[in-house]
Amino acid sequence: MEKLVIEGGTPLHGSVRISSAKNAVLPIIVAALLPETPATVVDAPELDDVRTICSVLESLGVVIHRNGREMTFDAAHIDRTEASYELMSRMRASFLVMGPLLAKKGHAKIALPGGCMIGSRPIDLHLKAFEAMGAEIQIHNGYVEASAPQGLKGAEIYLDFPSVGATENVLMAASLAEGRTVIENAAEEPEIVDLVTFLSSMGANIKGAGTNVIRIEGVKRLEGVSHTAIPDRIEAGTFMIAAAMAGGDVVVENVLSEHLKPLLAKLTEAGVKVVKEDIDRVRVISDGHIRSTDIKTLPYPGFPTDLQAQFMALMTIGSGVSTITETVFENRFMHAGELQRMGASIQIEGRKAIVTGVPFLQGAFVRATDLRAGAALTLAGLAAHGTTEVGDLHHIDRGYDHLVEKLQGLGARISRVGTN
Ligand code: UD1
C-alpha cells in the first residue's frame, strides 16, 4: 500500500505555485462536449479527477489530444450518450455530462454518481431543472435516463439550494436550449464564473454569473476556444493553512486573494500574519502559535466547506476552544476521528465539531477518508511530534497536483513510499 511518511516539526519556507482549479477545470472539460469545433484547456492540473473526466468524455466518443498540460477536446463525433457505472462511480462530477448530452443529443443515460462519501449528495436539483426544461426523466437499475427528443426549452428554475453542480449542469444545457433560462438561487462560486467565461467565449449568451440570478439565452451553436482556468483557491488555502500550522514563512503564488477572503480573515483572527503582496501573491507568516477561532461553512462567498477539514486540523493545536459548523454537507467530519488518533480533542454534536486545542499532536498512522480529509491529515502530520503515516492516498491524488513535491519544495520532510 502506498502511504505518505511525514516527519513533523519542520517549519515551511519558500514559495509554492498553485495549479489551475480542479473544480473549474472539471466542468470546463465537460463543457468541451458542447462546441462543434475543438476546445482547448491550457495548463490543466495533473489529477486523477481530470483523468477520470477525460475517460468519461472518451467513452462518449470525444477525441482528446494531450500535449503536456494542454488538452484539446474534439467532440464533433459524439456517438454515445450513455456513461457507465464503472466511470461514474469514481467521481460524482461526472454527472455534469448530463446537461451537455441532453442539449446536444437529446438523450443521456447515466449511472447514478459516486464520489467522496460526504453525505448523501443527491442529484434531485439537477433532475428537477432538466424536467422543467422539458426532459423526461426515468430512474431504473441504478441509471438515470433523460430524453428530450424535441430539444430542451428555456425555463425559469429556482434551486432549493445554491448547488454548484446543478448550476453548472443547467448552464451548459441552457446554453444550447431554445429560448431563455433563468436560474434563481444560483451558486456564486468563482468556478461558476470561470465556466461562464469559457461558455461565453464559445458564443453562449449568459448574464449574471457570480450573482444568484443567472440568465441564459440559448444559441444554436458554439465554437471551441482555448481557455486557462482560474487558480485553485482550495489548493492555495491548503498551503496557507499548512504554513500557519507548521510555522514558517511561505509565499503562495498564482492565487486570487479575493476568492479566499473568509480564510484570510480567519487566519488573521487565529494570529497568523497574512500579507497580500501582489494581486496574485499572498505571504503567510506563522510562529505556530494559533488562537482558536470559530468557523461556519457556507456557499460562496462564505467559508468553503472544502477547507473545513484543513481548518479543523489547524484548530486542534489552538490555544482554546473552536466551534466548527458544517452547513453545506451532512457527515463531513470523518477526519475528526483520524485527527483524534493523533491526540486531537474533538467532540461532534450533529453539524458542529467542538475542537479543544492541545499543546501538540502526535504522529500516528491515519487514513485519508476523503480528498480534503487527506489534506487535513497531511497538514496535521507536518505539525505533529514524530512520524505520521497517511494511507489511502488515492483520495489525495484525486485533487492535489504534486502535493508531495510542492511541500518538499517548502522544506517539509515528507515522502511517498510503497507501491500502488
Ligand atoms: C462542488 C465541488 C465540491 C464542493 C461543493 C460545495 C466540484 C467538482 N465539486 O460539489 O468540491 O465541496 O461544490 O462547495 O465542483 N444537493 C442536493 N441536491 C442536488 C445537488 C446538491 O441536495 O441535486 C446538496 C448536496 O447534497 C450538498 C449541497 O447540496 O449537501 C451542496 O452540493 P453541491 O453544491 O451540488 O456540490 P457539488 O457540485 O457536488
Side-chain angles (χ1 to χ4, degrees):
M1 187 188 78
E2 268 197 307
K3 60 188 177 186
L4 297 182
V5 178
I6 308 162
E7 300 296 336
T10 307
L12 304 180
H13 288 277
S15 65
V16 59
R17 189 173 170 79
I18 299 307
S19 300
S20 295
K22 167 180 91 73
N23 287 352
V25 166
L26 293 177
I28 284 167
I29 288 178
V30 173
L33 281 165
L34 294 166
E36 302 302 323
T37 50
T40 299
V41 174
V42 182
D43 208 13
E46 289 181 1
L47 303 173
D48 280 356
D49 273 6
V50 169
R51 290 179 198 105
T52 301
I53 203 69
C54 286
S55 304
V56 173
L57 261 59
E58 281 172 327
S59 78
L60 301 171
V62 175
V63 178
I64 306 178
H65 296 285
R66 296 174 177 82
N67 181 9
R69 286 175 176 248
E70 184 171 304
M71 295 186 193
T72 299
F73 302 87
D74 184 350
H77 305 289
I78 304 170
D79 50 4
R80 270 149 291 168
T81 54
E82 197 170 320
S84 73
Y85 177 72
E86 198 277 312
L87 285 170
M88 303 305 291
S89 61
R90 279 198 241 157
M91 187 178 66
R92 194 185 145 76
S94 314
F95 196 72
L96 291 175
V97 299
M98 179 158 262
L101 286 178
L102 261 180
K104 220 172 156 181
K105 295 282 169 186
H107 178 260
K109 185 175 171 191
I110 296 180
L112 287 164
C116 280
M117 296 304 292
I118 45 176
S120 57
R121 302 184 86 173
I123 44 158
D124 55 320
L125 301 176
H126 303 237
L127 299 183
K128 265 204 304 201
F130 293 138
E131 267 178 341
M133 297 176 79
E136 238 176 69
I137 312 267
Q138 287 186 319
I139 299 184
H140 50 83
N141 307 99
Y143 278 78
V144 183
E145 185 158 13
S147 35
Q150 314 306 325
L152 291 174
K153 306 265 184 297
E156 298 219 341
I157 291 158
Y158 173 83
L159 297 177
D160 294 335
F161 183 88
S163 155
V164 173
T167 304
E168 291 167 345
N169 227 337
V170 174
L171 273 168
M172 292 188 281
S175 292
L176 286 180
E178 190 191 320
R180 167 185 284 208
T181 299
V182 181
I183 312 175
E184 305 261 5
N185 202 25
E188 299 173 41
E189 269 69 3
E191 293 77 16
I192 303 273
V193 178
D194 204 28
L195 172 65
V196 168
T197 304
F198 178 63
L199 290 168
S200 301
S201 53
M202 292 200 296
N205 184 351
I206 304 172
K207 298 212 163 55
T211 76
N212 63 1
V213 182
I214 307 181
R215 292 183 172 77
I216 308 115
E217 291 293 341
V219 296
K220 289 248 176 325
R221 60 180 274 148
L222 299 173
E223 301 296 338
V225 292
S226 186
H227 185 81
T228 306
I230 54 171
D232 195 315
R233 63 195 165 102
I234 306 303
E235 186 196 11
T238 301
F239 279 100
M240 289 176 192
I241 298 172
M245 204 171 169
D249 184 345
V250 169
V251 176
V252 181
E253 292 179 354
N254 192 35
V255 53
L256 294 174
S257 57
E258 74 261 32
H259 292 167
L260 274 164
K261 280 184 190 163
L263 177 68
L264 301 189
K266 286 294 166 181
L267 285 176
T268 306
E269 209 177 310
V272 177
K273 192 164 178 208
V274 177
V275 187
K276 289 181 212 163
E277 288 205 320
D278 207 336
I279 183 169
D280 63 349
R281 208 162 62 222
V282 175
R283 183 169 170 195
V284 178
I285 304 164
S286 164
D287 60 7
H289 288 97
I290 301 299
R291 274 201 297 271
S292 294
T293 309
D294 298 339
I295 58 160
K296 182 177 186 177
T297 67
L298 287 167
Y300 192 85
F303 191 98
T305 174
D306 285 351
L307 286 173
Q308 179 258 104
Q310 301 89 314
F311 202 83
M312 184 189 289
L314 178 66
M315 288 301 113
T316 62
I317 54 164
S319 57
V321 178
S322 152
T323 302
I324 294 183
T325 310
E326 173 60 57
T327 75
V328 178
F329 288 109
E330 42 181 289
N331 191 20
R332 199 176 194 178
F333 284 142
M334 269 119 62
H335 42 279
E338 298 297 297
L339 288 168
Q340 279 166 327
R341 301 192 60 247
M342 298 178 72
S345 168
I346 305 167
Q347 248 184 303
I348 305 290
E349 293 171 7
R351 289 193 167 214
K352 281 190 174 26
I354 319 292
V355 186
T356 306
V358 294
F360 57 89
L361 295 175
Q362 299 153 22
F365 177 77
V366 287
R367 282 181 193 281
T369 49
D370 63 58
L371 167 58
R372 306 304 172 186
L377 294 165
T378 305
L379 305 195
L382 294 174
H385 288 189
T387 307
T388 296
E389 297 184 343
V390 184
D392 285 351
L393 295 190
H394 58 278
H395 288 297
I396 297 179
D397 294 338
R398 290 183 57 172
Y400 284 95
D401 187 0
H402 292 89
L403 179 66
V404 170
E405 291 80 356
K406 288 185 184 185
L407 284 170
Q408 283 169 341
L410 296 173
R413 290 188 293 161
I414 181 170
S415 54
R416 188 175 180 123
V417 300
T419 46
N420 217 331

